[in-house]
């Protein structure tokens, strides 16, 4: 494929993508396939001679799409949202074209410097304490990780290394092994200090746990993977109160801030805590500016060596939506979740299980776990909408998460009517 054909095929692909997004509501949200469906549909080995682009695109529709769960359908209410927007898709195209591997400033200065600035932009949108920002020669800073799980692991490893170094400095006779066998990490059943848990979007009180961690010199990592996006809205910023006590903080713009996966934003108060744990300086990666104090080499802030130009997605989205546009998007989702909550509360057969704060509603039929399991089974078998459950203590609960960028009140209303119909069937079957 030369540049001329790439121009032609690129336009065709953009048309295919736009048609997919515009027509996604008409596709069944959850696929009708069984495990192993795909292998018999494609050759057992790669072709010796090139296939045509037309054949590949035809196979996308015949082979791939039948096995796709349509996360961006307005009838997808499972898990949490995964962000999608046209500006982010365009930025991803540019990222692929530039194709740099930004493990150091020298490897692509723009890749490094735009990430530093975008993380400061986002930190200011959240009103993070200045200690977390990189500007004005501060000690902190932000970095894009691949996921919140990755950020949590990075924080855990950095905390461990920091404690080991501190104890070895105080007691040189202690070996690393002797120290490590005594180290303790504290967590709840949701893992770390969490703002917006996956199960039910509950919030730990940082104003209580934070001072204790600071007093005892315990590294505090705060995970707001889903809920963090909402903190750009002033009315939700109080949910972040206490972050000033944290050593590291993370949330996923790729969940709810219209920046396509992957883009997990992580900040630390002291970047030397990360570089002290992950520093890697073979001769072939060294460059003349690395000790100038003027640049960042992000390979020292993460587990992988290589990294993509992910900050382009943030730059495109933040500029093309503006903070007000992003705030309006968050507020719309929250309004829709409260609309669904109101519908549930009007039906005496159902109950709301936890307070609805953001875009997640946890609800169930009043009665046994068995009847709620049966309801969920019917919902997901019908495949008109898609939900997933959770357990709150001993109760089986259905989660209704507002996910799609294109979801409207009409979709929520149709989803509720569908749930009510299936609930009637389940309760009738139970009586019989």
């Amino acid at each position: 494929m030369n540049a001329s054909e790439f121009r032609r095929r690129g336009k065709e692909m953009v048309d295919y993508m736009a048609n997919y997004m515009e027509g996604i509501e008409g596709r069944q949200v959850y696929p009708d396939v069984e495990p192993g469906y795909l292998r018999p549909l494609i050759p057992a080995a790669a072709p010796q001679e090139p296939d045509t682009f037309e054949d590949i695109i035809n196979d996308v529709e015949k082979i791939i799409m039948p096995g796709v769960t349509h996360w961006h359908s307005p009838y997808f209410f499972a898990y949490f949202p995964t962000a999608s927007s046209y500006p982010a898709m365009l930025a991803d195209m540019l990222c692929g074209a530039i194709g740099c591997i930004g493990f150091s400033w020298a490897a692509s200065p723009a890749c490094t410097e735009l990430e530093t600035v975008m993380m400061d932009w986002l930190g200011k949108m959240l009103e993070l304490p200045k200690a977390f920002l990189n500007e004005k020669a501060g000690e902190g800073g932000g970095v894009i990780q691949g996921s919140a799980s990755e950020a949590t692991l990075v924080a855990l490893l950095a905390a461990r290394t920091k404690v080991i170094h501190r104890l070895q400095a105080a007691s040189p006779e202690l070996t690393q092994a002797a120290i490590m066998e005594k180290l303790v990490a504290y967590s709840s059943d949701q893992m770390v200090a969490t703002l917006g848990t996956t199960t039910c979007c509950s919030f730990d009180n940082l104003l209580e746990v934070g001072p204790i961690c600071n007093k005892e010199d315990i590294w505090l990592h705060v995970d707001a993977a889903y809920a963090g996006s909402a903190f750009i809205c002033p009315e939700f910023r109080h949910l972040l109160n206490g972050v000033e006590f944290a050593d590291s903080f993370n949330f996923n713009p790729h969940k709810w801030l219209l920046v396509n996966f992957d883009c997990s934003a992580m900040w630390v108060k002291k970047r030397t805590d990360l570089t002290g744990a992950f520093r890697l300086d073979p001769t072939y990666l060294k460059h003349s500016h690395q000790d100038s104090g003027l640049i960042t080499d992000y390979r020292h802030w993460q587990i992988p060596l290589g990294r993509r130009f992910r900050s382009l997605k943030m730059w495109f989205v933040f500029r093309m939506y503006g903070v007000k546009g992003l705030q309006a998007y968050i507020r719309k989702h929250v309004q829709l979740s409260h609309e669904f909550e109101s519908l549930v509360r009007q039906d005496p057969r159902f109950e709301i299980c936890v307070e609805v704060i953001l875009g997640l509603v946890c609800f169930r039929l009043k009665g046994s776990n068995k009847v709620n399991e049966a309801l969920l089974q019917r919902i997901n078998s019908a495949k008109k909408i898609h939900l997933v459950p959770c357990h709150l203590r001993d109760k089986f609960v259905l989660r209704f998460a507002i996910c799609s960028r294109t979801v409207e009140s009409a979709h929520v209303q149709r989803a509720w009517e569908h749930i009510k119909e299936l609930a009637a069937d389940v309760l009738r079957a139970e009586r019989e």
Side-chain angles (χ1 to χ4, degrees):
M1 183 180 286
N2 57 27
S4 177
E5 185 180 5
F6 176 72
R7 284 191 177 93
R8 180 160 60 95
R9 300 307 191 186
K11 292 171 184 174
E12 292 173 8
M13 179 57 79
V14 168
D15 283 342
Y16 181 86
M17 293 164 62
N19 290 338
Y20 168 72
M21 297 303 293
E22 286 185 332
I24 198 170
E25 183 174 343
R27 294 180 184 261
Q28 183 173 283
V29 65
Y30 194 79
D32 276 323
V33 298
E34 297 296 327
Y37 91 95
L38 190 142
R39 184 174 289 274
L41 302 179
I42 61 177
Q48 294 298 312
E49 300 296 332
D51 280 345
T52 66
F53 184 80
E54 288 86 355
D55 286 343
I56 296 170
I57 286 295
N58 288 336
D59 283 347
V60 167
E61 201 58 46
K62 287 194 306 183
I63 298 172
I64 302 302
M65 284 300 175
V68 170
T69 299
H70 298 288
W71 280 66
H72 302 292
S73 166
Y75 295 114
F76 183 93
F77 301 104
Y79 311 107
F80 273 137
T82 181
S84 175
S85 69
Y86 294 123
M89 293 181 209
L90 293 173
D92 249 350
M93 290 171 62
L94 181 57
C95 172
I98 294 174
C100 62
I101 308 297
F103 46 72
S104 70
W105 179 88
S108 193
C111 180
T112 293
E113 296 198 12
L114 185 63
E115 181 163 337
T116 301
V117 176
M118 287 303 98
M119 291 301 294
D120 276 356
W121 273 21
L122 185 54
K124 291 174 183 177
M125 288 160 63
L126 298 172
E127 296 183 8
L128 283 181
K130 290 183 179 180
F132 286 106
L133 304 182
N134 189 75
E135 64 180 8
K136 298 179 181 177
E139 293 185 71
V143 58
I144 301 173
Q145 305 286 0
S147 69
S149 304
E150 188 178 331
T152 299
L153 179 58
V154 166
L156 185 65
L157 296 175
R160 185 183 70 177
T161 300
K162 183 177 183 179
V163 170
I164 290 171
H165 289 171
R166 185 178 73 225
L167 292 177
Q168 284 183 323
S171 305
E173 72 280 4
L174 289 176
T175 64
Q176 181 169 319
I179 294 172
M180 285 184 61
E181 68 181 8
K182 296 183 181 299
L183 296 182
V184 175
Y186 296 88
S187 71
S188 71
D189 60 3
Q190 308 292 318
M191 182 49 193
V192 294
T194 309
L195 302 178
T197 58
T198 302
T199 301
C200 61
C201 199
S202 60
F203 290 78
D204 287 324
N205 190 335
L206 301 186
L207 293 172
E208 290 182 355
V209 72
I212 295 172
C213 290
N214 286 184
K215 179 183 177 182
E216 301 296 334
D217 206 9
I218 297 172
W219 182 296
L220 176 60
H221 178 67
V222 176
D223 183 322
Y226 161 67
S229 297
F231 304 155
I232 69 169
C233 299
E235 65 268 32
F236 300 123
R237 175 55 180 79
H238 70 277
L239 296 169
L240 187 56
N241 288 350
V243 72
E244 60 271 18
F245 297 107
D247 296 276
S248 52
F249 169 72
N250 163 251
F251 87 98
N252 291 342
H254 68 229
K255 274 192 169 66
W256 205 13
L257 210 59
L258 295 169
V259 179
N260 290 39
F261 187 86
D262 60 335
C263 182
S264 187
M266 179 185 187
W267 289 266
V268 289
K269 274 185 180 171
K270 291 188 177 180
R271 53 183 175 268
T272 53
D273 290 340
L274 293 189
T275 59
F278 298 105
R279 190 166 191 87
L280 181 69
D281 266 332
T283 302
Y284 53 82
L285 294 182
K286 293 183 178 180
H287 57 90
S288 58
H289 295 285
Q290 68 178 33
D291 297 319
S292 67
L294 302 175
I295 58 93
T296 297
D297 285 338
Y298 276 122
R299 71 178 181 276
H300 303 315
W301 295 51
Q302 61 178 20
I303 295 171
L305 176 63
R307 55 204 338 270
R308 299 188 303 117
F309 202 162
R310 291 174 290 198
S311 57
L312 280 172
K313 294 182 289 190
M314 300 170 73
W315 195 44
F316 274 47
V317 168
F318 296 167
R319 293 183 68 184
M320 296 189 76
Y321 278 89
V323 175
K324 290 184 178 179
L326 295 172
Q327 289 171 335
Y329 176 70
I330 296 292
R331 287 168 178 147
K332 176 185 174 182
H333 274 203
V334 175
Q335 183 272 323
L336 289 174
S337 73
H338 285 296
E339 180 178 341
F340 184 79
E341 176 194 16
S342 176
L343 293 170
V344 175
R345 290 192 184 278
Q346 292 170 32
D347 191 320
R349 300 172 299 173
F350 288 87
E351 61 183 346
I352 296 292
C353 302
V354 293
E355 180 186 2
V356 177
I357 299 176
L358 297 176
L360 175 67
V361 181
C362 291
F363 73 107
R364 70 195 301 271
L365 279 168
K366 295 174 182 176
S368 67
N369 284 346
K370 183 179 179 182
V371 73
N372 283 281
E373 291 168 2
L375 174 58
L376 182 67
Q377 194 276 329
R378 290 197 182 219
I379 289 170
N380 286 338
S381 294
K383 298 175 182 176
K384 290 185 177 180
I385 64 175
H386 189 45
L387 306 182
V388 296
C390 68
H391 272 97
L392 295 179
R393 294 185 170 89
D394 59 345
K395 289 186 176 182
F396 185 89
V397 173
L398 282 65
R399 297 169 75 263
F400 190 94
I402 305 297
C403 290
S404 171
R405 177 176 53 84
T406 59
V407 67
E408 300 288 348
S409 175
H411 302 111
V412 171
Q413 296 280 346
R414 288 188 205 113
W416 175 239
E417 290 301 317
H418 181 57
I419 292 169
K420 286 199 302 181
E421 290 173 9
L422 296 180
D425 294 341
V426 167
L427 292 173
R428 187 180 308 113
E430 186 184 41
R431 287 194 300 269
E432 294 172 354

